Amino acid sequence: GYSNDTINVATNYLDVLPSINANYSLSEKSNLRFAVSKTVARPEFRELAPFGFYDFSTATSVEGNDSLQRTEIYNYDIRIETFPDNGQILSASIFYKKFKNPIEPVVESSGAGSRRISFQNASGSYVYGLEFEWRKKLSMLEKILDWKQWSNFSLYGNVALMKSRVDKSDDLRASSDRPMQGQSPYLVNAGLMYTEGKSGFGFNLVYNRIGKRIYQVGNSGYLSIEESPRNLLDLQLSKRVFEKAEIKFTVSDVFNEPGIFYQDQNQNGRYAADID
């Protein structure tokens, strides 16, 4: 720390973490699932340690907070799923999560070209949303397009739509209603996979996109720093050799779109290069 005194952080908790999971079979290929649980998220050492370190990549000084409390989370999920065939799934979920004392990185001060970041507990927050998941083989296209290779293709992915709110009266511009730090309003993952058993050749094309989210929480005199959405595309080629060996070739982030972190000066909800 900043002196020779020993720093004692007392984090003794007795947490009872129950969970209930129920499954009802609607048919031989369909299920209805219901889950309730309580979980915790404990602060990491760096979030607790009350001394500073400098992050050169973001020109930010980061300092821990030894008074952080662990986060208690209450989770509720309902999911319906069906399995059309072997290795295939279609599902839809509704979920709700309530947080007590969520931990968030907060901008405590800002100087010329640098910031000081620490960590704080918000009093509470919640997030709810919908999620859809699919994994489907494209063999049904064989009759339409007359190509026997369609059975080697699989289309998979998931889409989540979410809304979150934090109750914190000392937040940006005296607002007590904002999304949780790091929580996007939507998330998209999608992929196309091809595997040919005889030749051992295959490829996997994966796409990802997240909605705008808060990167670091601001204060009454400093706007929150937000992260703009970007498109990610990864490609992997694979080939089996000598029966039990495999060679893989991967290209990551094909689009190479820049990661943009900004302050929304005109509060229009998206990045504007001329003012933000």
Side-chain angles (χ1 to χ4, degrees):
Y2 297 109
S3 67
N4 293 324
D5 297 333
T6 300
I7 300 170
N8 293 311
V9 179
T11 56
N12 295 316
Y13 299 106
L14 175 61
D15 288 312
V16 179
L17 305 176
S19 65
I20 298 175
N21 293 272
N23 179 38
Y24 179 74
S25 296
L26 300 172
S27 68
E28 291 184 355
K29 293 187 176 183
S30 299
N31 296 318
L32 180 64
R33 298 183 181 273
F34 176 74
V36 179
S37 65
K38 180 185 177 183
T39 55
V40 294
R42 300 183 180 93
E44 298 176 357
F45 174 81
R46 185 168 284 183
E47 295 170 338
L48 281 171
F51 53 80
F53 65 93
Y54 192 74
D55 184 349
F56 287 90
S57 63
T58 60
T60 303
S61 176
V62 182
E63 183 177 324
N65 177 3
D66 58 2
S67 64
L68 284 179
Q69 302 178 58
R70 54 91 170 86
T71 305
E72 298 176 78
I73 312 167
Y74 300 86
N75 311 280
Y76 307 89
D77 300 89
I78 299 176
R79 173 185 173 99
I80 186 170
E81 58 190 11
T82 182
F83 304 93
D85 206 342
N86 186 33
Q88 303 183 56
I89 185 174
L90 295 171
S91 72
S93 306
I94 301 174
F95 60 88
Y96 175 82
K97 297 177 182 290
K98 185 175 179 62
F99 299 79
K100 181 180 179 182
N101 300 319
I103 301 170
E104 298 182 307
V106 176
V107 180
E108 291 201 330
S109 63
S110 177
S114 65
R115 298 180 303 279
R116 184 165 69 90
I117 304 298
S118 188
F119 302 91
Q120 294 181 6
N121 288 111
S123 58
S125 62
Y126 65 83
V127 57
Y128 63 86
L130 302 171
E131 183 175 17
F132 304 94
E133 181 186 1
W134 66 91
R135 186 167 63 250
K136 178 69 174 174
K137 292 185 178 180
L138 302 184
S139 52
M140 68 283 191
L141 296 177
E142 290 183 0
K143 296 180 180 180
I144 302 174
L145 300 175
D146 193 22
W147 189 39
K148 293 183 178 181
Q149 290 293 329
W150 284 116
S151 59
N152 297 323
F153 284 89
S154 294
L155 193 65
Y156 64 93
N158 69 295
V159 174
L161 305 174
M162 298 155 286
K163 183 174 182 178
S164 66
R165 284 294 178 266
V166 172
D167 178 16
K168 191 173 182 185
S169 58
D170 60 348
D171 189 21
L172 173 65
R173 294 179 176 176
S175 171
S176 60
D177 188 11
R178 61 163 173 81
M180 293 177 64
Q181 181 274 336
Q183 179 64 65
S184 299
Y186 67 86
L187 171 68
V188 178
N189 293 296
L192 179 64
M193 182 169 61
Y194 173 82
T195 303
E196 209 285 312
K198 291 184 179 180
S199 66
F201 172 77
F203 72 83
N204 194 15
L205 191 65
V206 183
Y207 171 80
N208 168 264
R209 180 181 172 91
I210 60 169
K212 183 190 72 171
R213 59 186 179 183
I214 296 176
Y215 173 64
Q216 291 169 347
V217 179
N219 53 50
S220 58
Y222 191 80
L223 288 169
S224 290
I225 299 174
E226 304 190 56
E227 180 181 359
S228 183
R230 64 190 295 258
N231 298 297
L232 284 168
L233 186 69
D234 297 335
L235 171 64
Q236 183 178 84
L237 304 177
S238 61
K239 179 69 171 68
R240 187 180 69 247
V241 293
F242 306 122
E243 293 188 0
K244 294 186 178 181
E246 189 177 41
I247 297 175
K248 292 184 178 181
F249 174 75
T250 301
V251 182
S252 298
D253 196 5
V254 175
F255 296 143
N256 194 30
E257 292 186 354
I260 299 175
F261 298 82
Y262 68 101
Q263 292 173 300
D264 192 2
Q265 298 289 338
N266 58 5
Q267 297 290 285
N268 67 347
R270 60 184 183 275
Y271 175 64
D274 58 337
I275 188 172
D276 293 334

